[in-house]
């Protein structure tokens, strides 16, 4: 007997000095919402070599290179994400029966995590689900003009909560935005809690009662949107919809949700880009099956030529780019590269160059007017991304310029395109219902510069006597040349001849 006990404790001692095992770091989410942030380290140590996988937020990495051992190790991990490879570095050591480990970002080591041994298989990548054969999802009849509203991500990210959303609804119902057409109040990532025993998705502490919140927003004459991912986790690492597609769609419908943004994110670990269409189709079908009108917003960053199949999966809009940032370079780089996609936009189905940054402080008002103009010329969804509860009147004027919104919401639903480019000067044109045309004279340079309209390029024999300036709100006699401020725009409406 004695001998057996001694043998066991020796074995345990040898085992615990080894990194081999499945380790879990479980810490409260920094968003203070009652959820737990889990990171799994599934490691195998063989002599001087460590192999295995790391699951962190939305990512499932494989260990590609290792140095060191229990007293101090460094792991370079990676994963294939469509055409690109993502890499990360983790450094750590064994302290007693705990794994102390931190991620390295350049020169900085992120806060250290403490991981404990858990059973084999916990946190493993879920089995791949079979995908449906492709078919055309019936058009839901929504979003005949580009959706307008507000989304929490650009300003609030993980800080969005019930109180913010109610405040935003109050403000939008009061400050003229609702009357101007802004309808959807969309909660982005970080509302999610865990699933209950039946697999029903729950909200986290920041959203005590989603149904009550939807009722509140509806009571203001507005609509409520939500966010999820087809993967096991969302971009911010919260619970995704993977394996619960129909169930989640039913839950959202029962809550009174009117809009879903469905973000690829964690799905990148499971499916290839070629499988995106089937994955999104599954949710398109699930939303239709609820019987509730729910706008379907595809967010997969414009991969796999989504504009070609977005309508077939029931998509009302699809992101065409990676995330926008609140600066001129990001906005201009995204906005001005959309011209070639014009042919794919039509009523019910829109290109989405991402949400607005207007009012978030990183650009001048001239630049924000360019942002609003460009998104209107592009027939892009207009999702305000600022704190509309506290917005200067000059910013509100940009967001609620009715004449510019009329271009965005034009019923013909034809996206504008670049007509001419000369250095930093670009002329864009958008054909409107009834033969009117919107013409935007953009100056991408930092200094004011003249723009000259070539009327023949517009197919107009003679310059019109009067044009409407949509930022100045006046009809003007127009010669062919006008001065455009640096990073600015002159937006004109030409009446049908
Ligand atoms: C991605 C999306 C963003 C936002 C975040 C949330 O980055 O592109 O728009 O939804 O995820 O985590």
């Amino acid at each position: 007997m004695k001998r057996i006990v001694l043998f066991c404790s020796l074995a345990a001692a040898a085992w615990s000095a080894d990194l081999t095992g499945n380790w879990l770091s479980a810490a409260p989410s920094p968003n203070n919402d009652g959820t737990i942030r889990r990171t799994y380290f599934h490691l195998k140590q063989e002599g001087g070599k460590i192999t295995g996988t790391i699951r962190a937020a939305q990512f499932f990495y494989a260990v590609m290179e290792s140095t060191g051992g229990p007293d101090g190790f460094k792991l370079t991990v990676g994963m294939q994400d469509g055409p690109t490879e993502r890499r990360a570095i983790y450094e750590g050591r064994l302290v007693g029966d705990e794994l102390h480990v931190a991620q390295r970002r350049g020169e900085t080591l992120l806060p250290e995590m403490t991981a404990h041994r858990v059973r084999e298989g916990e946190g493993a990548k879920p089995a791949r689900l079979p995908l449906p054969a492709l078919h055309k999802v019936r058009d839901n009849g929504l979003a005949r003009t580009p959706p307008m509203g507000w989304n929490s991500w650009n300003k609030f990210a993980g800080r969005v909560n019930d109180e913010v959303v109610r405040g935003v609804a109050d403000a939008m119902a009061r400050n003229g935005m609702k009357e101007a057409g802004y309808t959807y109040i969309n909660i982005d990532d970080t509302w999610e809690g865990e699933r209950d025993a039946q697999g029903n998705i729950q909200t986290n502490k920041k959203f005590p009662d989603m149904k009550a919140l939807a009722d509140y927003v509806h009571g203001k004459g507005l609509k409520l949107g939500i966010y999820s991912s087809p993967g096991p986790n969302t971009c911010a690492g919260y619970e995704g919809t993977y394996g619960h597609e129909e169930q989640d769609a039913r839950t959202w419908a029962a809550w009174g949700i009117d809009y879903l943004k469905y973000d690829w994110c964690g799905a990148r670990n499971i499916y290839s880009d070629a499988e995106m269409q089937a994955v999104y189709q599954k949710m398109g079908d699930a939303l239709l099956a609820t019987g509730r009108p729910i706008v379907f917003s595809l967010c997969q960053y414009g991969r796999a030529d989504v504009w070609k199949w977005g309508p077939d999966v029931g998509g009302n809009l699809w992101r065409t780019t990676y995330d926008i940032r609140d600066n001129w370079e990001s906005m201009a780089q995204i906005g001005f590269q959309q011209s070639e996609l014009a042919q794919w936009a039509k009523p019910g189905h829109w290109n989405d160059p991402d949400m607005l940054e207007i009012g978030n402080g990183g650009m001048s008002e001239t630049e924000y007017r360019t942002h609003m103009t460009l998104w209107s010329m592009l027939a892009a969804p207009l999702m305000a991304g600022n704190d509309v509860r506290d917005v200067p009147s000059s910013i509100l004027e940009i967001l609620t310029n009715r004449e510019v919104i009329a271009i965005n919401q034009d019923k013909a639903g034809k996206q504008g395109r670049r007509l001419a480019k000369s250095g930093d000067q670009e002329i864009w044109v958008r054909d409107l219902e009834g033969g009117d045309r919107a013409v935007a004279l953009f100056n991408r340079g930092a200094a004011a510069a003249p723009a000259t309209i070539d009327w023949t390029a517009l197919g107009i024999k003679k310059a019109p006597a009067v044009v409407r300036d949509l930022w100045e709100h006046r009809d003007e006699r127009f010669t062919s040349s006008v001065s455009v401020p640096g990073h600015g725009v002159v937006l004109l409406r030409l009446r049908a001849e």
Side-chain angles (χ1 to χ4, degrees):
M1 187 64 177
K2 246 189 193 158
R3 218 180 306 148
I4 293 170
V5 171
L6 185 67
F7 173 78
C8 287
S9 59
L10 272 178
W15 182 64
S16 64
D18 189 332
L19 295 168
T20 300
N22 193 19
W23 304 86
L24 166 64
S25 150
S29 151
N31 294 329
N32 195 22
D33 51 22
T35 61
I36 301 294
R37 185 153 289 192
R38 294 184 177 81
T39 309
Y40 289 93
F41 302 86
H42 192 222
L43 304 177
K44 187 167 180 195
Q45 187 196 326
E46 283 169 307
K49 192 162 182 239
I50 305 160
T51 53
T53 57
I54 296 180
R55 176 180 186 172
Q58 52 160 310
F59 299 117
F60 288 84
Y61 293 111
V63 176
M64 305 175 74
E65 287 163 27
S66 74
T67 55
D71 294 339
F73 62 84
K74 180 173 168 185
L75 306 176
T76 304
V77 299
M79 59 171 280
Q80 201 57 39
D81 177 14
T84 47
E85 192 191 52
R86 290 177 178 270
R87 286 203 171 201
I89 292 173
Y90 286 86
E91 293 177 18
R93 74 209 136 89
L94 203 58
V95 180
D97 53 4
E98 292 175 348
L99 190 69
H100 290 201
V101 56
Q103 194 184 341
R104 173 167 292 286
R105 287 245 176 90
E107 293 301 297
T108 2
L109 216 46
L110 301 185
E112 190 172 87
M113 296 174 268
T114 302
H116 296 98
R117 287 182 191 279
V118 291
R119 66 173 174 78
E120 231 359 74
E122 191 181 321
K125 199 193 299 198
R128 208 170 166 290
L129 296 174
L131 291 171
L134 294 182
H135 67 93
K136 270 200 168 71
V137 175
R138 181 166 51 79
D139 192 332
N140 61 15
L142 302 170
R144 294 348 265 176
T145 60
M148 292 176 67
W150 175 87
N151 175 293
S152 59
W153 187 254
N154 285 356
K155 175 70 187 179
F156 293 92
R159 296 182 315 276
V160 65
N161 61 26
D162 181 277
E163 189 194 336
V164 166
V165 173
R166 284 173 193 251
V168 164
D170 293 345
M172 279 171 54
R174 203 181 46 219
N175 70 10
M177 288 182 73
K178 177 179 146 186
E179 283 70 29
Y182 292 88
T183 304
Y184 291 95
I185 297 192
N186 293 344
I187 304 167
D188 208 280
D189 205 351
T190 79
W191 63 267
E192 307 89 342
E194 309 264 317
R195 293 186 181 277
D196 69 12
Q198 286 72 45
N200 296 309
I201 185 75
Q202 312 285 295
T203 53
N204 64 42
K205 260 178 28 194
K206 296 191 297 168
F207 291 91
D209 186 342
M210 197 62 94
K211 168 101 177 66
L213 181 56
D215 289 346
Y216 185 85
V217 169
H218 293 153
K220 297 271 163 187
L222 297 162
K223 294 180 189 297
L224 188 66
I226 213 162
Y227 165 101
S228 191
S229 169
N233 294 94
T234 66
C235 281
Y238 286 73
E239 182 74 19
T241 285
Y242 190 76
H244 296 271
E245 289 77 6
E246 288 81 12
Q247 189 178 16
D248 284 0
R250 283 196 299 272
T251 302
W252 299 325
W255 285 343
I257 295 296
D258 307 294
Y259 186 117
L260 170 69
K261 173 174 168 185
Y262 205 40
D263 190 345
W264 188 242
C265 269
R268 55 169 49 107
N269 301 287
I270 317 262
Y271 307 111
S272 70
D273 280 19
E275 294 168 315
M276 278 180 179
Q277 183 171 351
V279 173
Y280 277 92
Q281 175 188 298
K282 197 168 182 182
M283 182 50 74
D285 280 333
L287 292 177
L288 268 189
T290 67
R292 185 176 174 85
I294 300 178
V295 171
F296 189 22
S297 157
L298 278 46
C299 176
Q300 40 78 290
Y301 337 114
R303 275 155 60 164
D305 290 349
V306 60
W307 35 88
K308 295 186 180 160
W309 51 265
D312 291 346
V313 301
N316 297 111
L317 57 154
W318 46 83
R319 278 272 295 275
T320 58
T321 72
Y322 282 92
D323 294 11
I324 194 169
R325 297 273 172 259
D326 183 22
N327 61 62
W328 166 259
E329 290 70 28
S330 167
M331 186 280 290
Q333 192 257 328
I334 288 177
F336 287 110
Q337 89 189 359
Q338 303 295 312
S339 185
E340 282 74 40
L341 298 180
Q343 57 173 311
W344 304 103
K346 54 181 173 297
H349 311 284
W350 308 102
N351 290 310
D352 172 11
D354 208 357
M355 304 164 300
L356 300 174
E357 290 283 10
I358 295 168
N360 279 334
M363 289 182 247
S364 68
E365 288 182 3
T366 300
E367 292 169 338
Y368 284 141
R369 270 189 288 277
T370 299
H371 189 0
M372 184 75 184
T373 304
L374 196 41
W375 264 236
S376 294
M377 294 298 283
L378 293 172
L382 294 180
M383 291 295 158
N386 58 323
D387 187 351
V388 297
R389 299 170 307 174
D390 178 21
V391 50
S393 58
S394 54
I395 293 295
L396 203 52
E397 271 169 36
I398 297 174
L399 285 169
T400 57
N401 183 327
R402 298 291 186 102
E403 295 192 83
V404 177
I405 290 174
I407 304 298
N408 176 270
Q409 293 289 300
D410 186 79
K411 297 243 170 351
K414 290 190 183 143
Q415 180 173 325
R417 62 198 189 286
R418 185 186 292 106
L419 182 75
K421 178 170 166 62
S422 160
D424 287 330
Q425 316 305 311
E426 297 199 10
I427 301 184
W428 286 57
V429 62
R430 179 168 174 189
D431 294 330
L432 306 172
E433 197 185 38
D436 280 15
R437 260 183 288 188
V439 177
L441 312 172
F442 292 107
N443 176 9
R444 296 177 68 172
T452 305
I453 302 188
D454 177 354
W455 297 107
T456 41
L458 275 171
I460 296 174
K461 288 188 209 78
K462 186 161 120 325
V466 177
V467 295
R468 179 81 181 164
D469 184 319
L470 305 186
W471 285 109
E472 295 300 327
H473 300 293
R474 38 170 206 252
D475 287 340
E476 291 195 336
R477 299 192 152 279
F478 200 72
T479 49
S480 292
S481 196
V482 63
S483 173
V484 186
H487 291 182
V489 65
V490 170
L491 177 60
L492 306 171
R493 185 171 185 130
L494 272 51
R495 306 248 153 72
E497 286 171 336

